[in-house]
Amino acid sequence: MKTKSLFVAAIFIWAALFLGTAYAQDYSENETILLRTQEFYNSGNYLKAIESINQAIDLKENQKAFPEKVRLMAEASYFEYVESLQKEAAANGGRVNAKAFDKYILQLELHPQAASQRIFTIVETLFENELEALAAERQKHTNGKSGKWDKINDRIEFLEKKQNELFDVVSGRIPAEKIKLELAEIEMAKMDRALKIAVLCVGVLLIFVVIVLIVIVYKNYKRRKQAQMHFETSMEVISSMGKDFQENPDLAAAAAEQSKRTSLATKTLLGKGDGDLSKQIMEFFSTVENRKLMADLQNKCFALGDKIDKYTFRQRTSRKVSELVLKLCNEAKLNHDVALVCYCASMVYDAGFLSVPKSILTASELTMTERQKIREHVHSAAEYFDFVPEQIRPVFLQAAEFHHENMDGKGYLAGLSGTNIPFIARVIRVCESYISLTSKRAYREIMDSDSAVKELKSKSGIYDPKIIDLLEKVI
């Protein structure tokens, strides 16, 4: 029994301490608000004083005991502010500041504890004066057809509603909570409307952005296709240079001299045949240190090949050709290192195009000089091969300079024939033409694999039949 009594006593003590602490905390907060309100009031900033004292009212609104000093400070703040509105109205011909007055009435509805008879007297006077002024103004627009009449009428109805509503709230007929609920609903409606407008604006903006992107993509696509078509036309021009030589003896003589110089330079520069080069490549990669260079070499060739494709408006041509070259090299049972070097060289064999002005590559018509400039792109590739180790660079030079040579010796620029054409150049010649035949071009339809191979075989003077046989096995 004694234990139970002690337990009950402990509960009472704990409750007393809790309530005492809560009361002390509430009292402290209440005093802080009153002091801040007093400062605003003393400085004549009555609107700030109202906003501050409203916080104290809100703290006490659910309690029956409402501190008298809070009520007195609230009444004083509300009175001084509405009196200032009345004085301002008197100075402006009796018309009150509508925005400030509406805000004041709303705060008084939400905090009716601050209301007093002297406040009501001023508020009623302001209501009556404003309604009288609006009625007189509405009389000037008796036809009722103008937008001005509608605005005045709406304002009159609003003020009459607020006048009655304020009286009902202060008298207790309508609880302040109902006004708060209505305000919350109005705010929710505004937020909902704002959200809908925001969603609509975002939707319109997204549609606009999508349309702009479509237009940009289409224009870029159209421009790229046109440039690609011009480039393909330029490539066709290269194969028809023989006709140009027939029509222009001076150009033919210059080309012959160039061919002679190229042939001599090639013999001096390259020297070794396919077999010797293969041995040189295998010897180079026989060391662990040099084998580590292969990955870096491939990455640099990838990057240069992509740059060439972008510059010449071709999609992944370097990758397609090089992958097919690697398959043919493997089918021919070449040493793995030799095959990889051929693979890398066939990514960048057209690097010389980077030295040809884009204005020439994309021109719809070419002069004889411009045609020759494109034709000589095979010479310019060497300047882009500085990253290639010197021991394997000859394969890259062979790929670049001789991939337009024909088996019958009627290609360019050196006029090599048969097996005098380096193996890498003969392989690229076949693979490049096959990729071209099986890809869409502006001047012809796509061929299937069988038709493309048949086309290559029909031109034995251009392509190596043995390379074509390898091609048939891997496609």
Side-chain angles (χ1 to χ4, degrees):
M1 184 69 180
K2 185 177 180 180
T3 303
K4 185 176 181 181
S5 299
L6 289 173
F7 178 73
V8 172
I11 292 177
F12 274 110
I13 292 171
W14 178 84
L17 289 172
F18 176 78
L19 292 174
T21 302
Y23 176 80
Q25 183 179 0
D26 187 49
Y27 177 82
S28 176
E29 186 174 3
N30 197 62
E31 287 299 313
T32 301
I33 294 173
L34 282 171
L35 287 173
R36 185 171 64 246
T37 303
Q38 188 69 49
E39 290 177 2
F40 287 133
Y41 183 87
N42 292 338
S43 65
N45 193 341
Y46 303 121
L47 181 59
K48 282 289 185 181
I50 288 174
E51 292 174 354
S52 178
I53 200 63
N54 283 345
Q55 296 177 25
I57 296 174
D58 291 337
L59 284 174
K60 298 293 183 179
E61 65 179 352
N62 294 324
Q63 299 179 17
K64 292 181 179 180
F66 195 81
E68 182 63 16
K69 54 185 176 181
V70 172
R71 190 196 68 78
L72 290 174
M73 179 56 73
E75 193 278 339
S77 300
Y78 271 84
F79 173 76
E80 293 294 344
Y81 183 68
V82 76
E83 189 178 46
S84 69
L85 291 180
Q86 186 182 38
K87 291 177 181 178
E88 183 182 347
N92 293 326
R95 300 299 299 272
V96 70
N97 183 319
K99 186 175 181 180
F101 186 60
D102 291 349
K103 184 176 180 180
Y104 177 83
I105 295 301
L106 175 61
Q107 292 304 316
L108 196 56
E109 286 181 327
L110 295 175
H111 307 92
Q113 300 90 336
S116 67
Q117 185 58 48
R118 63 175 182 165
I119 290 176
F120 255 113
T121 300
I122 296 176
V123 169
E124 282 295 318
T125 300
L126 291 175
F127 266 123
E128 293 302 327
N129 290 344
E130 187 67 12
L131 287 169
E132 184 178 340
L134 287 169
E137 190 174 349
R138 182 174 60 178
Q139 190 65 28
K140 298 176 182 178
H141 305 277
T142 53
N143 55 19
K145 295 180 180 179
S146 66
K148 183 70 174 177
W149 187 93
D150 292 333
K151 289 181 180 179
I152 295 171
N153 200 58
D154 289 343
R155 180 64 180 168
I156 290 174
E157 290 179 358
F158 172 78
L159 288 175
E160 289 175 344
K161 176 187 175 183
K162 281 296 176 182
Q163 188 178 21
N164 296 328
E165 189 175 80
L166 178 62
F167 177 78
D168 290 339
V169 170
V170 173
S171 64
R173 295 179 184 176
I174 298 177
E177 286 72 16
K178 182 179 179 182
I179 303 299
K180 292 180 180 180
L181 183 60
E182 290 177 355
L183 284 175
E185 291 175 350
I186 292 172
E187 288 301 316
M188 285 297 293
K190 287 181 179 179
M191 290 178 61
D192 185 57
R193 184 165 61 253
L195 181 61
K196 288 179 180 178
I197 292 173
V199 170
L200 180 62
C201 290
V202 170
V204 171
L205 181 61
L206 286 175
I207 292 173
F208 176 76
V209 170
V210 169
I211 292 174
V212 170
L213 288 176
I214 289 173
V215 171
I216 292 173
V217 169
Y218 175 74
K219 285 186 176 180
N220 287 339
Y221 171 78
K222 191 174 181 181
R223 184 165 55 249
R224 185 178 180 84
K225 290 298 290 184
Q226 187 176 25
Q228 184 180 7
M229 183 180 68
H230 290 159
F231 177 77
E232 291 169 2
T233 303
S234 298
M235 295 305 96
E236 285 294 295
V237 166
I238 293 177
S239 62
S240 63
M241 290 295 285
K243 183 179 179 181
D244 293 336
F245 295 154
Q246 293 176 3
E247 296 174 353
N248 192 325
D250 292 336
L251 184 62
E257 182 62 28
Q258 178 64 53
S259 178
K260 181 179 179 181
R261 290 198 302 271
T262 301
S263 180
L264 292 173
T266 299
K267 290 177 181 178
T268 302
L269 179 63
L270 303 181
K272 297 180 180 180
D274 293 327
D276 293 334
L277 276 178
S278 295
K279 292 179 182 178
Q280 187 168 310
I281 292 170
M282 288 186 283
E283 182 180 345
F284 176 75
F285 285 110
S286 62
T287 65
V288 175
E289 184 178 354
N290 286 344
R291 291 198 69 80
K292 293 179 180 179
L293 299 175
M294 179 58 76
D296 183 60
L297 176 67
Q298 290 186 48
N299 290 333
K300 289 180 178 179
C301 287
F302 284 146
L304 181 56
D306 290 342
K307 184 178 180 181
I308 296 166
D309 288 344
K310 184 177 180 180
Y311 192 81
T312 57
F313 311 99
R314 296 180 293 184
Q315 295 183 354
R316 295 178 55 83
T317 296
S318 63
R319 300 287 181 97
K320 294 175 184 177
V321 171
S322 59
E323 288 169 3
L324 189 55
V325 166
L326 181 60
K327 289 179 181 179
L328 267 62
C329 289
N330 290 332
E331 184 65 28
K333 309 301 181 186
L334 264 63
N335 171 269
H336 179 67
D337 293 329
V338 175
L340 285 179
V341 170
C342 290
Y343 171 60
C344 291
S346 57
M347 290 185 208
V348 298
Y349 67 93
D350 262 341
F353 276 125
L354 297 174
S355 297
V356 180
K358 256 188 179 178
S359 57
I360 294 179
L361 293 179
T362 59
S364 56
E365 294 183 6
L366 296 171
T367 64
M368 213 60 88
T369 303
E370 289 171 338
R371 292 187 181 192
Q372 189 63 22
K373 181 70 176 176
I374 292 177
R375 186 181 172 96
E376 292 174 358
H377 74 279
V378 295
H379 292 312
S380 306
E383 62 187 86
Y384 298 96
F385 296 157
D386 290 342
F387 66 91
V388 181
E390 186 176 349
Q391 293 88 334
I392 63 174
R393 195 179 302 166
V395 178
F396 285 74
L397 296 173
Q398 289 176 350
E401 296 211 15
F402 303 125
H403 67 273
H404 285 293
E405 298 289 351
N406 294 342
M407 292 298 289
D408 58 9
K410 295 180 181 179
Y412 73 89
L413 287 166
L416 301 179
S417 62
T419 55
N420 288 326
I421 304 171
F423 174 79
I424 181 62
R426 282 179 281 144
V427 175
I428 290 177
R429 187 76 160 120
V430 170
C431 292
E432 182 186 48
S433 295
Y434 175 80
I435 295 298
S436 177
L437 291 171
T438 54
S439 303
K440 187 176 181 180
R441 292 291 183 264
Y443 50 86
R444 58 161 174 74
E445 295 297 323
I446 300 175
M447 286 189 182
D448 57 54
S449 297
D450 292 338
S451 299
V453 171
K454 186 177 180 181
E455 176 71 14
L456 295 176
K457 283 184 174 182
S458 69
K459 297 179 179 179
S460 57
I462 298 178
Y463 306 106
D464 186 343
K466 293 181 180 180
I467 303 297
I468 297 176
D469 290 341
L470 293 174
L471 177 65
E472 280 191 288
K473 295 177 181 179
V474 300
I475 60 175

